[in-house]
Short mmCIF file of all heavy atoms in Angstrom, two decimals:
data_model
loop_
_atom_site.label_atom_id
_atom_site.label_comp_id
_atom_site.label_asym_id
_atom_site.label_seq_id
_atom_site.Cartn_x
_atom_site.Cartn_y
_atom_site.Cartn_z
N VAL A 93 -17.27 79.12 49.21
CA VAL A 93 -16.75 78.55 50.47
C VAL A 93 -16.34 79.68 51.38
O VAL A 93 -15.64 80.61 50.97
CB VAL A 93 -15.56 77.62 50.18
CG1 VAL A 93 -14.96 77.11 51.48
CG2 VAL A 93 -15.98 76.47 49.30
N LEU A 94 -16.77 79.59 52.62
CA LEU A 94 -16.41 80.60 53.60
C LEU A 94 -14.94 80.43 54.01
O LEU A 94 -14.47 79.31 54.18
CB LEU A 94 -17.30 80.48 54.83
CG LEU A 94 -18.79 80.69 54.58
CD1 LEU A 94 -19.59 80.38 55.83
CD2 LEU A 94 -19.05 82.13 54.16
N GLY A 95 -14.26 81.54 54.20
CA GLY A 95 -12.85 81.50 54.57
C GLY A 95 -12.56 80.65 55.80
O GLY A 95 -11.64 79.82 55.78
N PRO A 96 -13.32 80.81 56.86
CA PRO A 96 -13.05 80.01 58.06
C PRO A 96 -13.20 78.51 57.82
O PRO A 96 -12.52 77.70 58.45
CB PRO A 96 -14.09 80.51 59.07
CG PRO A 96 -14.41 81.89 58.62
CD PRO A 96 -14.33 81.84 57.12
N VAL A 97 -14.08 78.11 56.88
CA VAL A 97 -14.26 76.69 56.61
C VAL A 97 -13.01 76.13 55.94
O VAL A 97 -12.53 75.04 56.31
CB VAL A 97 -15.50 76.46 55.72
CG1 VAL A 97 -15.62 74.98 55.35
CG2 VAL A 97 -16.76 76.93 56.44
N SER A 98 -12.44 76.87 54.99
CA SER A 98 -11.22 76.38 54.35
C SER A 98 -10.06 76.37 55.34
O SER A 98 -9.19 75.50 55.27
CB SER A 98 -10.87 77.23 53.12
OG SER A 98 -10.69 78.57 53.48
N ALA A 99 -10.05 77.29 56.30
CA ALA A 99 -9.00 77.30 57.32
C ALA A 99 -9.11 76.05 58.20
O ALA A 99 -8.10 75.43 58.53
CB ALA A 99 -9.10 78.56 58.17
N VAL A 100 -10.33 75.67 58.56
CA VAL A 100 -10.53 74.46 59.37
C VAL A 100 -10.05 73.23 58.59
O VAL A 100 -9.36 72.37 59.14
CB VAL A 100 -12.01 74.31 59.78
CG1 VAL A 100 -12.27 72.92 60.35
CG2 VAL A 100 -12.39 75.37 60.79
N ALA A 101 -10.40 73.16 57.30
CA ALA A 101 -10.00 72.01 56.49
C ALA A 101 -8.48 71.93 56.38
O ALA A 101 -7.89 70.85 56.49
CB ALA A 101 -10.64 72.11 55.10
N ALA A 102 -7.82 73.09 56.19
CA ALA A 102 -6.37 73.09 56.06
C ALA A 102 -5.70 72.67 57.36
O ALA A 102 -4.75 71.88 57.36
CB ALA A 102 -5.89 74.48 55.65
N GLN A 103 -6.20 73.16 58.47
CA GLN A 103 -5.61 72.81 59.76
C GLN A 103 -5.88 71.35 60.09
O GLN A 103 -5.04 70.68 60.69
CB GLN A 103 -6.13 73.73 60.85
CG GLN A 103 -5.64 75.15 60.67
CD GLN A 103 -6.20 76.11 61.69
OE1 GLN A 103 -6.95 75.73 62.57
NE2 GLN A 103 -5.81 77.37 61.57
N PHE A 104 -7.04 70.84 59.70
CA PHE A 104 -7.33 69.43 59.94
C PHE A 104 -6.38 68.56 59.11
O PHE A 104 -5.86 67.54 59.60
CB PHE A 104 -8.79 69.13 59.60
CG PHE A 104 -9.21 67.74 59.94
CD1 PHE A 104 -9.39 67.36 61.25
CD2 PHE A 104 -9.43 66.81 58.94
CE1 PHE A 104 -9.77 66.06 61.58
CE2 PHE A 104 -9.82 65.51 59.26
CZ PHE A 104 -9.99 65.15 60.58
N GLY A 105 -6.12 68.97 57.87
CA GLY A 105 -5.17 68.23 57.04
C GLY A 105 -3.78 68.23 57.64
O GLY A 105 -3.08 67.21 57.64
N ALA A 106 -3.37 69.39 58.18
CA ALA A 106 -2.06 69.48 58.82
C ALA A 106 -2.01 68.58 60.06
O ALA A 106 -0.99 67.93 60.32
CB ALA A 106 -1.77 70.93 59.21
N LEU A 107 -3.10 68.53 60.80
CA LEU A 107 -3.16 67.66 61.98
C LEU A 107 -3.04 66.19 61.58
O LEU A 107 -2.31 65.42 62.22
CB LEU A 107 -4.47 67.90 62.74
CG LEU A 107 -4.73 67.00 63.94
CD1 LEU A 107 -3.67 67.21 65.00
CD2 LEU A 107 -6.11 67.27 64.51
N LEU A 108 -3.72 65.79 60.51
CA LEU A 108 -3.63 64.41 60.04
C LEU A 108 -2.20 64.08 59.62
O LEU A 108 -1.70 62.99 59.90
CB LEU A 108 -4.59 64.17 58.87
CG LEU A 108 -6.08 64.17 59.20
CD1 LEU A 108 -6.89 64.01 57.93
CD2 LEU A 108 -6.41 63.07 60.19
N ALA A 109 -1.53 65.04 58.95
CA ALA A 109 -0.14 64.81 58.54
C ALA A 109 0.76 64.65 59.76
O ALA A 109 1.62 63.76 59.80
CB ALA A 109 0.33 65.97 57.66
N MET A 110 0.58 65.50 60.77
CA MET A 110 1.40 65.41 61.98
C MET A 110 1.15 64.09 62.70
O MET A 110 2.09 63.47 63.19
CB MET A 110 1.10 66.59 62.91
CG MET A 110 1.65 67.90 62.41
SD MET A 110 1.23 69.28 63.48
CE MET A 110 1.94 68.76 65.03
N ARG A 111 -0.10 63.65 62.76
CA ARG A 111 -0.41 62.38 63.41
C ARG A 111 0.29 61.23 62.69
O ARG A 111 0.80 60.31 63.33
CB ARG A 111 -1.92 62.12 63.41
CG ARG A 111 -2.69 63.00 64.37
CD ARG A 111 -4.18 62.73 64.31
NE ARG A 111 -4.51 61.48 64.97
CZ ARG A 111 -5.10 60.43 64.39
NH1 ARG A 111 -5.46 60.50 63.13
NH2 ARG A 111 -5.35 59.35 65.05
N SER A 112 0.33 61.31 61.37
CA SER A 112 0.97 60.25 60.60
C SER A 112 2.48 60.27 60.80
O SER A 112 3.10 59.23 61.03
CB SER A 112 0.62 60.42 59.12
OG SER A 112 1.26 59.45 58.34
N ILE A 113 3.08 61.47 60.76
CA ILE A 113 4.53 61.59 60.91
C ILE A 113 4.98 61.13 62.30
O ILE A 113 5.99 60.46 62.45
CB ILE A 113 4.97 63.05 60.65
CG1 ILE A 113 4.77 63.39 59.17
CG2 ILE A 113 6.41 63.28 61.07
CD1 ILE A 113 4.90 64.86 58.84
N LEU A 114 4.21 61.48 63.31
CA LEU A 114 4.57 61.15 64.69
C LEU A 114 4.05 59.79 65.14
O LEU A 114 4.24 59.40 66.29
CB LEU A 114 4.03 62.24 65.64
CG LEU A 114 4.59 63.65 65.40
CD1 LEU A 114 3.88 64.66 66.27
CD2 LEU A 114 6.09 63.66 65.65
N ASN A 115 3.40 59.07 64.21
CA ASN A 115 2.86 57.75 64.52
C ASN A 115 1.89 57.79 65.70
O ASN A 115 1.93 56.93 66.59
CB ASN A 115 3.97 56.73 64.78
CG ASN A 115 4.69 56.35 63.51
OD1 ASN A 115 4.06 56.21 62.47
ND2 ASN A 115 5.99 56.20 63.60
N LEU A 116 1.04 58.80 65.73
CA LEU A 116 0.03 58.92 66.78
C LEU A 116 -1.29 58.44 66.20
O LEU A 116 -1.77 58.98 65.21
CB LEU A 116 -0.12 60.37 67.24
CG LEU A 116 1.13 61.01 67.83
CD1 LEU A 116 0.88 62.49 68.09
CD2 LEU A 116 1.52 60.31 69.11
N GLY A 117 -1.87 57.45 66.81
CA GLY A 117 -3.16 56.99 66.34
C GLY A 117 -3.06 56.28 65.02
O GLY A 117 -1.99 55.92 64.55
N GLY A 118 -4.18 56.07 64.40
CA GLY A 118 -4.23 55.32 63.16
C GLY A 118 -3.94 56.19 61.95
O GLY A 118 -3.81 57.40 62.03
N ASP A 119 -3.84 55.52 60.84
CA ASP A 119 -3.60 56.17 59.56
C ASP A 119 -4.96 56.58 58.97
O ASP A 119 -5.92 55.82 59.07
CB ASP A 119 -2.91 55.16 58.65
CG ASP A 119 -2.44 55.77 57.36
OD1 ASP A 119 -2.79 56.93 57.09
OD2 ASP A 119 -1.72 55.08 56.63
N ALA A 120 -5.03 57.75 58.39
CA ALA A 120 -6.28 58.22 57.81
C ALA A 120 -6.40 57.87 56.33
O ALA A 120 -7.31 58.33 55.66
CB ALA A 120 -6.42 59.73 58.01
N ALA A 121 -5.49 57.03 55.84
CA ALA A 121 -5.54 56.65 54.43
C ALA A 121 -6.83 55.91 54.14
O ALA A 121 -7.30 55.10 54.94
CB ALA A 121 -4.35 55.77 54.08
N GLY A 122 -7.44 56.22 52.99
CA GLY A 122 -8.67 55.56 52.60
C GLY A 122 -9.91 56.10 53.29
O GLY A 122 -10.96 55.48 53.23
N GLN A 123 -9.77 57.24 53.95
CA GLN A 123 -10.91 57.82 54.63
C GLN A 123 -11.16 59.23 54.11
O GLN A 123 -10.23 59.97 53.84
CB GLN A 123 -10.68 57.87 56.15
CG GLN A 123 -10.56 56.48 56.77
CD GLN A 123 -10.17 56.55 58.21
OE1 GLN A 123 -9.44 57.43 58.62
NE2 GLN A 123 -10.66 55.60 58.99
N LEU A 124 -12.42 59.56 53.97
CA LEU A 124 -12.82 60.90 53.55
C LEU A 124 -13.53 61.57 54.72
O LEU A 124 -14.45 60.98 55.31
CB LEU A 124 -13.76 60.81 52.35
CG LEU A 124 -14.36 62.13 51.85
CD1 LEU A 124 -13.26 63.04 51.29
CD2 LEU A 124 -15.41 61.86 50.79
N PHE A 125 -13.08 62.77 55.09
CA PHE A 125 -13.69 63.50 56.19
C PHE A 125 -14.51 64.65 55.63
O PHE A 125 -14.02 65.44 54.83
CB PHE A 125 -12.60 64.06 57.13
CG PHE A 125 -11.80 62.99 57.81
CD1 PHE A 125 -10.66 62.48 57.23
CD2 PHE A 125 -12.21 62.49 59.03
CE1 PHE A 125 -9.93 61.49 57.86
CE2 PHE A 125 -11.49 61.49 59.66
CZ PHE A 125 -10.34 60.99 59.07
N LEU A 126 -15.76 64.73 56.04
CA LEU A 126 -16.66 65.78 55.58
C LEU A 126 -17.09 66.62 56.78
O LEU A 126 -17.49 66.08 57.81
CB LEU A 126 -17.89 65.18 54.93
CG LEU A 126 -17.65 64.28 53.72
CD1 LEU A 126 -18.94 63.58 53.32
CD2 LEU A 126 -17.10 65.09 52.57
N LEU A 127 -17.00 67.93 56.64
CA LEU A 127 -17.43 68.83 57.71
C LEU A 127 -18.70 69.55 57.28
O LEU A 127 -18.72 70.21 56.23
CB LEU A 127 -16.34 69.86 58.02
CG LEU A 127 -16.76 71.02 58.95
CD1 LEU A 127 -17.14 70.49 60.33
CD2 LEU A 127 -15.65 72.05 59.05
N ASP A 128 -19.74 69.43 58.08
CA ASP A 128 -20.95 70.22 57.89
C ASP A 128 -20.78 71.46 58.77
O ASP A 128 -20.89 71.38 60.00
CB ASP A 128 -22.18 69.42 58.30
CG ASP A 128 -23.47 70.19 58.07
OD1 ASP A 128 -23.41 71.44 57.99
OD2 ASP A 128 -24.53 69.55 57.99
N ALA A 129 -20.46 72.59 58.15
CA ALA A 129 -20.14 73.79 58.91
C ALA A 129 -21.38 74.41 59.57
O ALA A 129 -21.25 75.27 60.43
CB ALA A 129 -19.46 74.83 58.01
N VAL A 130 -22.56 73.99 59.16
CA VAL A 130 -23.78 74.53 59.79
C VAL A 130 -24.05 73.81 61.11
O VAL A 130 -24.26 74.45 62.15
CB VAL A 130 -24.99 74.39 58.84
CG1 VAL A 130 -26.27 74.84 59.53
CG2 VAL A 130 -24.75 75.20 57.57
N SER A 131 -23.99 72.48 61.08
CA SER A 131 -24.25 71.71 62.31
C SER A 131 -22.97 71.47 63.11
O SER A 131 -23.03 70.99 64.22
CB SER A 131 -24.88 70.37 61.97
OG SER A 131 -23.96 69.56 61.25
N LEU A 132 -21.81 71.80 62.50
CA LEU A 132 -20.50 71.58 63.13
C LEU A 132 -20.27 70.10 63.43
O LEU A 132 -19.67 69.75 64.44
CB LEU A 132 -20.33 72.42 64.40
CG LEU A 132 -20.38 73.94 64.18
CD1 LEU A 132 -20.27 74.66 65.51
CD2 LEU A 132 -19.27 74.37 63.24
N LYS A 133 -20.74 69.25 62.54
CA LYS A 133 -20.52 67.81 62.71
C LYS A 133 -19.62 67.29 61.60
O LYS A 133 -19.74 67.70 60.45
CB LYS A 133 -21.85 67.06 62.71
CG LYS A 133 -22.68 67.35 63.94
CD LYS A 133 -23.96 66.57 63.94
CE LYS A 133 -24.74 66.88 65.21
NZ LYS A 133 -26.08 66.33 65.20
N TRP A 134 -18.72 66.39 61.98
CA TRP A 134 -17.84 65.73 61.02
C TRP A 134 -18.45 64.39 60.67
O TRP A 134 -19.04 63.72 61.50
CB TRP A 134 -16.46 65.49 61.63
CG TRP A 134 -15.63 66.73 61.76
CD1 TRP A 134 -15.59 67.56 62.83
CD2 TRP A 134 -14.71 67.26 60.81
NE1 TRP A 134 -14.71 68.58 62.59
CE2 TRP A 134 -14.15 68.42 61.37
CE3 TRP A 134 -14.31 66.86 59.53
CZ2 TRP A 134 -13.21 69.19 60.69
CZ3 TRP A 134 -13.37 67.63 58.87
CH2 TRP A 134 -12.84 68.78 59.45
N LYS A 135 -18.26 63.98 59.44
CA LYS A 135 -18.67 62.65 58.99
C LYS A 135 -17.45 62.01 58.34
O LYS A 135 -16.71 62.67 57.62
CB LYS A 135 -19.81 62.75 57.99
CG LYS A 135 -20.36 61.40 57.55
CD LYS A 135 -21.40 61.55 56.46
CE LYS A 135 -22.68 62.13 57.01
NZ LYS A 135 -23.76 62.14 55.99
N MET A 136 -17.22 60.74 58.64
CA MET A 136 -16.08 60.03 58.07
C MET A 136 -16.60 58.89 57.20
O MET A 136 -17.47 58.13 57.62
CB MET A 136 -15.20 59.46 59.17
CG MET A 136 -13.90 58.89 58.66
SD MET A 136 -12.92 58.21 60.00
CE MET A 136 -13.80 56.69 60.31
N ILE A 137 -16.09 58.81 55.99
CA ILE A 137 -16.51 57.79 55.05
C ILE A 137 -15.28 56.97 54.65
O ILE A 137 -14.25 57.54 54.29
CB ILE A 137 -17.14 58.42 53.78
CG1 ILE A 137 -18.39 59.21 54.17
CG2 ILE A 137 -17.47 57.35 52.75
CD1 ILE A 137 -18.96 60.01 53.01
N ASP A 138 -15.39 55.64 54.76
CA ASP A 138 -14.30 54.77 54.30
C ASP A 138 -14.41 54.61 52.79
O ASP A 138 -15.46 54.21 52.28
CB ASP A 138 -14.39 53.41 54.98
CG ASP A 138 -14.02 53.48 56.45
OD1 ASP A 138 -13.09 54.23 56.79
OD2 ASP A 138 -14.66 52.78 57.26
N LEU A 139 -13.33 54.92 52.10
CA LEU A 139 -13.32 54.79 50.64
C LEU A 139 -12.76 53.43 50.25
O LEU A 139 -11.72 53.02 50.78
CB LEU A 139 -12.46 55.89 50.03
CG LEU A 139 -12.92 57.32 50.29
CD1 LEU A 139 -11.93 58.31 49.71
CD2 LEU A 139 -14.30 57.55 49.72
N PRO A 140 -13.41 52.73 49.34
CA PRO A 140 -12.88 51.42 48.92
C PRO A 140 -11.62 51.60 48.08
O PRO A 140 -11.45 52.61 47.39
CB PRO A 140 -14.02 50.84 48.09
CG PRO A 140 -14.78 52.02 47.60
CD PRO A 140 -14.65 53.08 48.65
N LYS A 141 -10.73 50.62 48.17
CA LYS A 141 -9.52 50.66 47.34
C LYS A 141 -9.89 50.38 45.89
O LYS A 141 -10.79 49.60 45.61
CB LYS A 141 -8.52 49.63 47.84
CG LYS A 141 -7.96 49.94 49.21
CD LYS A 141 -6.92 48.91 49.57
CE LYS A 141 -6.41 48.98 50.97
NZ LYS A 141 -6.13 50.14 51.61
N ASP A 142 -9.18 51.02 44.98
CA ASP A 142 -9.38 50.81 43.56
C ASP A 142 -8.41 49.72 43.10
O ASP A 142 -7.20 49.90 43.15
CB ASP A 142 -9.10 52.12 42.82
CG ASP A 142 -9.23 51.98 41.31
OD1 ASP A 142 -9.54 50.87 40.83
OD2 ASP A 142 -9.02 53.00 40.62
N PRO A 143 -8.92 48.55 42.66
CA PRO A 143 -8.03 47.47 42.25
C PRO A 143 -7.09 47.87 41.11
O PRO A 143 -6.01 47.30 40.96
CB PRO A 143 -8.98 46.36 41.78
CG PRO A 143 -10.31 46.71 42.33
CD PRO A 143 -10.34 48.21 42.54
N GLY A 144 -7.48 48.88 40.32
CA GLY A 144 -6.65 49.31 39.22
C GLY A 144 -5.67 50.41 39.58
O GLY A 144 -4.89 50.86 38.73
N CYS A 145 -5.67 50.85 40.84
CA CYS A 145 -4.80 51.95 41.25
C CYS A 145 -3.42 51.42 41.61
O CYS A 145 -3.28 50.46 42.35
CB CYS A 145 -5.42 52.66 42.45
SG CYS A 145 -4.36 53.92 43.18
N ARG A 146 -2.37 52.06 41.09
CA ARG A 146 -1.00 51.62 41.36
C ARG A 146 -0.62 51.83 42.83
O ARG A 146 0.19 51.10 43.37
CB ARG A 146 -0.01 52.38 40.49
CG ARG A 146 -0.09 52.06 39.04
CD ARG A 146 0.98 52.81 38.30
NE ARG A 146 0.81 52.67 36.86
CZ ARG A 146 1.58 53.25 35.98
NH1 ARG A 146 2.58 54.01 36.38
NH2 ARG A 146 1.37 53.08 34.70
N THR A 147 -1.20 52.86 43.47
CA THR A 147 -0.80 53.19 44.83
C THR A 147 -1.52 52.34 45.86
O THR A 147 -0.89 51.59 46.62
CB THR A 147 -1.07 54.67 45.11
OG1 THR A 147 -0.36 55.44 44.15
CG2 THR A 147 -0.60 55.05 46.51
N CYS A 148 -2.85 52.41 45.92
CA CYS A 148 -3.54 51.70 46.99
C CYS A 148 -3.68 50.21 46.72
O CYS A 148 -3.74 49.42 47.66
CB CYS A 148 -4.88 52.36 47.31
SG CYS A 148 -6.09 52.37 45.99
N ALA A 149 -3.74 49.80 45.46
CA ALA A 149 -3.82 48.37 45.17
C ALA A 149 -2.51 47.69 45.55
O ALA A 149 -2.50 46.59 46.08
CB ALA A 149 -4.15 48.12 43.70
N ALA A 150 -1.38 48.39 45.33
CA ALA A 150 -0.07 47.82 45.69
C ALA A 150 0.08 47.75 47.19
O ALA A 150 0.65 46.80 47.72
CB ALA A 150 1.05 48.67 45.08
N ALA A 151 -0.46 48.75 47.92
CA ALA A 151 -0.35 48.76 49.38
C ALA A 151 -1.17 47.64 49.98
O ALA A 151 -0.84 47.11 51.04
CB ALA A 151 -0.80 50.10 49.94
N ALA A 152 -2.28 47.27 49.35
CA ALA A 152 -3.14 46.22 49.88
C ALA A 152 -2.56 44.84 49.64
O ALA A 152 -2.85 43.91 50.37
CB ALA A 152 -4.53 46.32 49.24
N ALA A 153 -1.71 44.71 48.63
CA ALA A 153 -1.16 43.39 48.29
C ALA A 153 -0.07 42.97 49.25
O ALA A 153 0.43 43.72 50.03
CB ALA A 153 -0.60 43.41 46.86
ZN1 LIG B 943 -5.62 54.38 44.96
#
């Protein structure tokens, strides 16, 4: 992994945390963000909740 790519991922994670803390925009829970560093395009994938998971299954109920 190239250093600048991990820096982008870390800063993006910090941005998502700040958005959540400040209640700006939606919640990124249940979403996976993928960065293609060659094309510089982001892809977002919605992850399904796991019915057996104590955290996300309880939040959905
Ligand atoms: Zn879960």
Side-chain angles (χ1 to χ4, degrees):
V93 176
L94 299 173
V97 176
S98 59
V100 168
Q103 292 177 1
F104 186 72
L107 176 62
L108 291 176
M110 287 178 59
R111 288 179 75 239
S112 178
I113 292 168
L114 298 173
N115 288 322
L116 300 173
D119 188 351
Q123 296 173 327
L124 176 66
F125 295 90
L126 301 171
L127 169 63
D128 182 339
V130 176
S131 66
L132 298 177
K133 291 182 179 171
W134 286 90
K135 184 185 288 187
M136 189 181 75
I137 298 172
D138 289 322
L139 298 176
K141 293 184 188 319
D142 178 0
C145 174
R146 291 183 188 178
T147 303
C148 63

